[in-house]
């Protein structure tokens, strides 16, 4: 083991600031009884000055969130989890029950050959866990337990040598080779016996149409070998023999494709210079000019059924009989093999080797030739380095990463990212069901990771984690620290620190912005892990780095909807308009920024974190979920294109992407940040206005929010079930610049609410107390920092998008009917019966959160050609400075105005400045002032 650097020096158990959890580790293998209470939540670290409630404590009421959530709950309840488990079972060589793996990234045929498979299963476990915690519906717990049972079986199988999977054969019992198992049969070295004449015969039932999979491949390497492929590049069987590599192969090619899921008989004979290939007893190819035969190869090192000496897929399907004779069978003898076992045919059993594959257990196959050449079932990758290994693919990706210096996701695609999703899913399952198997699997995974990573020099780790894509590890640090709070294992906390990417951490701790060119979602979840490492170790640079990083993204690289990144990457600070594309705002980025905002708020109750939370949740996250049901797909976006006329894609990349995974999780935890409590119980934070009912068990009260927010401009909170003294802290959104009011039992509360703060109401609350919060929405624009003329329209917290199929930026003016408050809403016309829908110049604006397939414009081009007040045109062209700021921009920047006179004063002062600068004539200035004086305005 490489010596640990000082920063990785193992801290004593006392540094584990989380208390010992009050959950039972003695659950039976089947999990806890259905009637048992939900287990305690993950212990809150003492460093958290406010703490969250469990999902089960916050019930979602009817409204926007409930409607969206139900679509995902139904999907989670109905989807066949055996499809998710298929790739795990296949990897372990277990029976997959005929299940078909999901498409996209989660199957063997997906992007990069499915090198991320297993990640989606972790997401699904998290989604089911949250669904169960939120609803108490036993159906979700049952599905979790099914998955945990299967994963337990998978790990047990991976710990052992492969075992035969028997199936119905052509004549009796066959040996099944599940696609994705990486299993093959190894025959002893003397099997060919140096014979010059030979016949090789096999019954096979292919289950996949991959080219170049081998029925057999006898050889030393890619130079000296003899093989029979079930399919060549043209999809037909091919036999070849060579002593000088592929270019010198002497071969026989079939004429037709072997059918899938049906038994076919293949036979090859060589005698003298003649080689013959038979398919189902019929000669399909003959070569009379062969100069090579098995004796030309000598004694070979590898004699394989199902495995290739090249980088070809392992044969997927079943073998019944495999026989080798030291002579060329006649055509009649080949025919006799079609309807009989070899022993009962005219040919008899193979004289060199004869395998019936009648075994139903174990990992060896008996040879009936009389030569005693027992065959052995093996894995191409050997076996796990540690018994805790659990994955849906071999450990080879993890091994390759340790020496890899360049990224190639067709070979290594973020293996520790995939491990994180599985680990997180197991932890969530444990929290939801108290099933000890989940904790055991999770702990084993971390034991295995520690056994690998702790042996690597720090320089190797730094190289690995800095490698784009291949070195991505998601939020694994957060999950490992959470696990360590349950297990108390020092190795687990030490493992979490092995993922430190020092270059990034040190730069962010010094508030040096180095994000330009980085992959966004590879790095955002690193910082949720750093916050948890601070909780566990007290090392200040972790928390400082996370806070500074957040400030580098929000708002400097943030789109109006709360998302970030373009084609998954960041550009320079302050570049927003310049990153708008069809691949803007990867949905995973918003999911992880929400997590980070939430965790930072636990340490520092800066309202900016919850202002961001509202923005991203009510816009990108809600808008990323399509508003329709689907049994097969969760219908969640990957990217949200922000180009003009973009149509959201809710089935990206054929499904099962990272964003569909996080999208499933988001839709089952909408309520996780509505309320927080001060660590000492003295205050309740109301962060979001959402129809929910909080059960605050420690206080013996409930708090019920009744609202249709954001379709309603406010919320009503009712205390129930008891009495308790605490301070109610109500978030005043940063955009709520006027009119925020609070009443208790109808009486106004003293104090002046300030936008971007919390408004506190302190009293001993009694059952039946009613708090009414009024939050007037104001319609406003947000300008992109690098192109102020490109703007997004907001009504309160809601981004309003124009619905239009136009593919160039729409142009709108909004000042013509602006209210004295600066509210731009009077310039728009409400659509009757459609809350939050408006029209402007014949174009409909709708909330971004509506998950439709309408073409939308999240940004528009601001155009105010004339100076207009209260609908009255002054006849004066609206002049602009060299930076694009117009006269009207400067006038309305002074809003809100308490009176019309205050607005006119602002107009007079502004035009005077522009006249002095030579940007406006005195005559035009007077027209502007006169128009402002004569116009009428909404308040």
């Amino acid at each position: 083991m490489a010596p640990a650097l000082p920063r990785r020096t193992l801290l004593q158990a006392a540094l584990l600031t989380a208390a010992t959890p009050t959950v039972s580790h003695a659950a039976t293998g089947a999990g806890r009884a259905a009637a048992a209470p939900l287990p305690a939540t993950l212990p809150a670290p003492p460093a958290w000055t406010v703490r969250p409630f469990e999902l089960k404590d916050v019930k979602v009421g009817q409204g926007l969130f409930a409607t969206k959530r139900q679509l995902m709950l139904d999907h989670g309840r109905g989807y066949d989890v055996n499809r998710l488990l298929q790739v795990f079972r296949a990897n372990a060589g277990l029976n997959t029950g005929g299940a078909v793996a999901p498409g996209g990234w989660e199957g063997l045929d997906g992007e990069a050959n499915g090198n991320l498979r297993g990640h989606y299963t972790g997401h699904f476990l998290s989604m089911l866990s949250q669904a169960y915690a939120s609803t108490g519906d036993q159906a979700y717990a049952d599905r979790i337990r099914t998955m945990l049972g299967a994963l337990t079986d998978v790990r047990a199988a991976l710990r052992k040598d492969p075992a035969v999977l028997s199936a119905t054969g052509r004549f009796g019992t066959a040996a099944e080779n599940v696609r994705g198992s990486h299993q093959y049969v190894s025959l002893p070295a003397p099997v060919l016996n140096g014979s010059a004449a030979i016949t090789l015969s096999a019954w096979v039932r292919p289950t996949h149409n991959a080219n170049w999979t081998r029925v057999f491949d006898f050889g030393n390497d890619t130079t000296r070998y003899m093989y029979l492929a079930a399919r060549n590049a043209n999809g037909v069987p091919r036999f070849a023999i060579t002593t000088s590599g592929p270019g010198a192969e002497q071969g026989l090619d079939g004429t037709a494709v072997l059918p899938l899921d049906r038994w076919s008989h293949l036979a090859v004979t060589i005698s003298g210079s003649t080689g013959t290939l038979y398919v189902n007893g019929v000669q399909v190819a003959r070569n009379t000019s062969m100069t090579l035969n098995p004796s030309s190869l000598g004694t070979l090192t590898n004699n394989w059924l199902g495995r290739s000496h090249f980088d070809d897929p392992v044969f997927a399907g079943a073998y019944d009989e495999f026989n080798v004779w030291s002579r060329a069978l006649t055509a009649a003898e080949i025919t006799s093999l079609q309807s009989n076992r070899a022993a009962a045919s005219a040919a008899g059993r193979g004289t060199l080797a004869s395998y019936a594959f009648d075994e139903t257990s174990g990992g060896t196959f008996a040879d009936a030739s009389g030569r005693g050449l027992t065959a052995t079932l093996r894995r191409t990758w050997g076996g796990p380095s540690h018994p805790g290994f659990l994955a849906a693919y071999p450990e080879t990706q993890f091994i390759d990463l340790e020496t890899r210096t360049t990224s190639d996701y067709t070979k290594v695609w973020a293996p520790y990212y995939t491990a994180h999703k599985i680990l997180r899913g197991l932890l969530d399952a444990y929290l939801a069901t108290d099933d000890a198997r989940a904790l055991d699997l999770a702990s084993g995974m971390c034991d295995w990771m520690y056994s690998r990573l702790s042996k690597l020099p720090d320089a190797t780790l730094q190289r690995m984690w800095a490698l784009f894509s291949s070195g991505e590890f998601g939020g694994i640090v957060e999950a490992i620290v959470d696990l360590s709070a349950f297990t108390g294992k020092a190795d687990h906390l030490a493992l979490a620190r092995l993922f430190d990417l020092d270059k990034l951490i040190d730069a962010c701790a010094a508030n040096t912005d180095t994000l330009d060119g980085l992959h966004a979602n590879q790095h955002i979840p690193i910082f949720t892990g750093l916050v948890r490492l601070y909780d566990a170790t007290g090392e200040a640079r972790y928390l400082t780095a996370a806070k500074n990083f957040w400030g580098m993204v929000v708002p400097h690289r943030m789109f109006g909807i709360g998302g970030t990144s373009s084609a998954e990457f960041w550009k320079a600070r302050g570049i927003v308009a310049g990153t708008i594309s069809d691949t803007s705002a990867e949905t995973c980025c918003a999911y992880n920024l929400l997590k980070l905002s939430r965790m930072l708020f636990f340490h520092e109750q800066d309202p900016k974190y919850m202002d961001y939370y509202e923005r991203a949740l009510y816009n990108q996250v809600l808008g990323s979920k399509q508003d329709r049901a689907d049994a097969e797909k969760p219908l969640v976006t990957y990217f949200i294109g922000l180009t003009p006329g973009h149509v959201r894609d809710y089935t990206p990349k054929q499904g099962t992407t990272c964003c569909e995974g996080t999208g499933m999780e988001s839709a089952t935890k909408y309520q996780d940040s509505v309320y927080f409590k001060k660590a000492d119980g003295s205050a309740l934070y109301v962060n979001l206005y959402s129809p929910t009912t909080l059960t605050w068990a420690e206080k013996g009260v409930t708090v019920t929010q009744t609202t249709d927010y954001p379709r309603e401009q406010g919320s009503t909170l009712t205390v129930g079930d008891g009495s308790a003294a605490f301070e109610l802290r109500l978030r005043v959104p940063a955009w709520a610049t006027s009119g925020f009011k609070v009443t208790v039992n109808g009486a106004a509360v003293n104090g002046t609410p300030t936008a971007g703060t919390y408004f506190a109401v302190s009293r001993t609350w009694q059952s039946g107390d009613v708090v009414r919060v009024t939050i007037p929405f104001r319609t406003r624009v947000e300008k992109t920092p690098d192109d102020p003329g490109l703007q997004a329209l907001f009504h309160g917290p809601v981004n309003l998008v124009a619905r239009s199929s136009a593919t160039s930026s729409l142009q709108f003016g909004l000042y013509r009917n602006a209210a004295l408050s600066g509210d731009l809403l009077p310039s728009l016309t409400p659509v009757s019966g459609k809350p939050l829908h408006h029209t402007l110049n014949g174009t409909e604006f709708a909330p971004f959160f509506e998950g439709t397939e309408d073409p939308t414009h999240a940004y528009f081009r601001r155009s105010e050609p004339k100076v207009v007040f209260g609908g009255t045109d002054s006849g004066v062209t609206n002049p602009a400075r060299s930076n694009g700021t117009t006269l009207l921009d400067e006038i309305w920047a002074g809003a809100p105005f308490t009176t019309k006179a205050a607005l006119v004063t602002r107009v007079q002062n502004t035009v005077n400045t522009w006249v002095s600068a030579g940007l406006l004539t005195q005559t035009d200035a007077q027209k502007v002032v006169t128009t402002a004086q004569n116009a009428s305005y909404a308040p």
Side-chain angles (χ1 to χ4, degrees), residues 751-896:
T752 303
T754 303
T757 67
Y758 279 80
F759 184 73
V761 183
S762 184
R763 60 185 278 147
T764 298
W765 300 93
Q766 304 293 334
S767 183
D769 281 347
V770 177
V771 179
R772 176 62 191 170
V773 184
T774 301
I775 317 172
F777 288 8
R778 185 171 63 90
T779 302
R780 68 194 190 282
V781 296
E782 291 186 358
K783 304 174 183 178
T784 56
D786 48 328
D787 184 357
L790 194 66
Q791 302 177 358
L793 185 65
F794 279 81
H795 184 58
V798 179
N799 177 214
L800 298 179
V801 295
R803 287 183 173 169
S804 169
S805 59
T807 55
S808 58
S809 293
L810 301 176
Q811 296 191 11
F812 294 104
L814 292 162
Y815 287 137
R816 60 180 300 110
N817 285 308
L820 291 175
S821 64
D823 192 347
L824 301 174
L825 185 62
S827 294
L828 288 81
T829 303
V831 178
S832 178
K834 298 175 73 175
L836 297 176
H837 285 244
H838 303 81
T839 59
L840 179 61
N841 299 343
T843 299
E844 184 173 7
F845 281 78
F848 187 95
F849 63 67
E850 292 185 352
T852 72
E853 293 179 304
D854 295 297
T856 61
H857 292 240
Y859 287 93
F860 66 93
R861 182 65 60 184
R862 190 68 175 270
S863 177
E864 305 279 357
K866 292 295 187 70
V867 177
V868 182
F869 292 104
T872 304
D873 190 339
S874 69
V876 175
T877 298
N878 184 25
R881 296 187 185 275
S882 59
N883 65 1
T885 302
T886 69
L887 174 67
L888 284 174
D889 289 334
E890 288 197 4
I891 290 171
W892 285 105

Side-chain angles (χ1 to χ4, degrees), residues 659-671:
C659 291
E660 286 159 296
T662 54
M664 291 191 298
E665 293 183 44
S666 290
T668 48
K669 65 179 183 73
Y670 288 137
Q671 78 272 36

Side-chain angles (χ1 to χ4, degrees), residues 61 97 150 162 196 287 290 372 425 480 492 511 513 608 654 695 715 853:
N287 183 343
M290 296 184 70
I480 295 168
H492 290 167
N511 207 18
D513 190 331
K608 69 182 180 182
Q654 293 79 53
T695 300
S715 184
E853 293 179 304

